[in-house]
mmCIF file of all heavy atoms in Angstrom:
data_model
loop_
_atom_site.group_PDB
_atom_site.id
_atom_site.type_symbol
_atom_site.label_atom_id
_atom_site.label_comp_id
_atom_site.label_asym_id
_atom_site.label_seq_id
_atom_site.Cartn_x
_atom_site.Cartn_y
_atom_site.Cartn_z
ATOM 1 N N GLU A 381 -17.234 -91.516 -5.078
ATOM 2 C CA GLU A 381 -18.639 -91.327 -5.425
ATOM 3 C C GLU A 381 -19.456 -91.220 -4.147
ATOM 4 O O GLU A 381 -19.345 -92.054 -3.266
ATOM 5 C CB GLU A 381 -19.136 -92.494 -6.274
ATOM 6 C CG GLU A 381 -18.380 -92.674 -7.575
ATOM 7 C CD GLU A 381 -18.562 -91.515 -8.536
ATOM 8 O OE1 GLU A 381 -19.592 -90.813 -8.443
ATOM 9 O OE2 GLU A 381 -17.672 -91.304 -9.367
ATOM 10 N N SER A 382 -20.242 -90.209 -4.080
ATOM 11 C CA SER A 382 -21.052 -89.971 -2.900
ATOM 12 C C SER A 382 -22.481 -90.431 -3.140
ATOM 13 O O SER A 382 -22.996 -90.302 -4.244
ATOM 14 C CB SER A 382 -21.031 -88.475 -2.579
ATOM 15 O OG SER A 382 -21.764 -88.220 -1.416
ATOM 16 N N GLY A 383 -23.090 -90.983 -2.112
ATOM 17 C CA GLY A 383 -24.490 -91.370 -2.220
ATOM 18 C C GLY A 383 -24.687 -92.872 -2.165
ATOM 19 O O GLY A 383 -23.753 -93.638 -2.002
ATOM 20 N N ALA A 384 -25.929 -93.276 -2.313
ATOM 21 C CA ALA A 384 -26.298 -94.689 -2.185
ATOM 22 C C ALA A 384 -26.192 -95.394 -3.534
ATOM 23 O O ALA A 384 -27.178 -95.912 -4.061
ATOM 24 C CB ALA A 384 -27.713 -94.804 -1.620
ATOM 25 N N ILE A 385 -24.995 -95.420 -4.103
ATOM 26 C CA ILE A 385 -24.799 -96.039 -5.414
ATOM 27 C C ILE A 385 -24.007 -97.330 -5.322
ATOM 28 O O ILE A 385 -23.615 -97.892 -6.336
ATOM 29 C CB ILE A 385 -24.102 -95.069 -6.384
ATOM 30 C CG1 ILE A 385 -22.714 -94.716 -5.851
ATOM 31 C CG2 ILE A 385 -24.939 -93.829 -6.618
ATOM 32 C CD1 ILE A 385 -21.848 -94.027 -6.866
ATOM 33 N N GLY A 386 -23.759 -97.793 -4.102
ATOM 34 C CA GLY A 386 -22.924 -98.964 -3.880
ATOM 35 C C GLY A 386 -23.239 -100.162 -4.753
ATOM 36 O O GLY A 386 -22.344 -100.688 -5.426
ATOM 37 N N PRO A 387 -24.469 -100.637 -4.799
ATOM 38 C CA PRO A 387 -24.773 -101.824 -5.615
ATOM 39 C C PRO A 387 -24.466 -101.623 -7.101
ATOM 40 O O PRO A 387 -23.884 -102.494 -7.738
ATOM 41 C CB PRO A 387 -26.270 -102.054 -5.376
ATOM 42 C CG PRO A 387 -26.523 -101.465 -4.021
ATOM 43 C CD PRO A 387 -25.630 -100.253 -3.965
ATOM 44 N N ASP A 388 -24.812 -100.448 -7.633
ATOM 45 C CA ASP A 388 -24.537 -100.179 -9.048
ATOM 46 C C ASP A 388 -23.033 -100.065 -9.300
ATOM 47 O O ASP A 388 -22.523 -100.573 -10.302
ATOM 48 C CB ASP A 388 -25.223 -98.890 -9.504
ATOM 49 C CG ASP A 388 -26.746 -99.020 -9.525
ATOM 50 O OD1 ASP A 388 -27.247 -100.162 -9.673
ATOM 51 O OD2 ASP A 388 -27.420 -97.981 -9.388
ATOM 52 N N ARG A 406 -18.532 -90.866 4.402
ATOM 53 C CA ARG A 406 -17.843 -89.587 4.196
ATOM 54 C C ARG A 406 -17.706 -88.760 5.467
ATOM 55 O O ARG A 406 -16.900 -87.859 5.537
ATOM 56 C CB ARG A 406 -18.518 -88.799 3.094
ATOM 57 C CG ARG A 406 -19.906 -88.355 3.422
ATOM 58 C CD ARG A 406 -20.462 -87.485 2.306
ATOM 59 N NE ARG A 406 -21.840 -87.162 2.566
ATOM 60 C CZ ARG A 406 -22.838 -87.531 1.806
ATOM 61 N NH1 ARG A 406 -22.607 -88.225 0.728
ATOM 62 N NH2 ARG A 406 -24.062 -87.200 2.108
#
Side-chain angles (χ1 to χ4, degrees):
E381 300 295 335
S382 182
I385 62 167
D388 292 334
R406 66 176 175 243

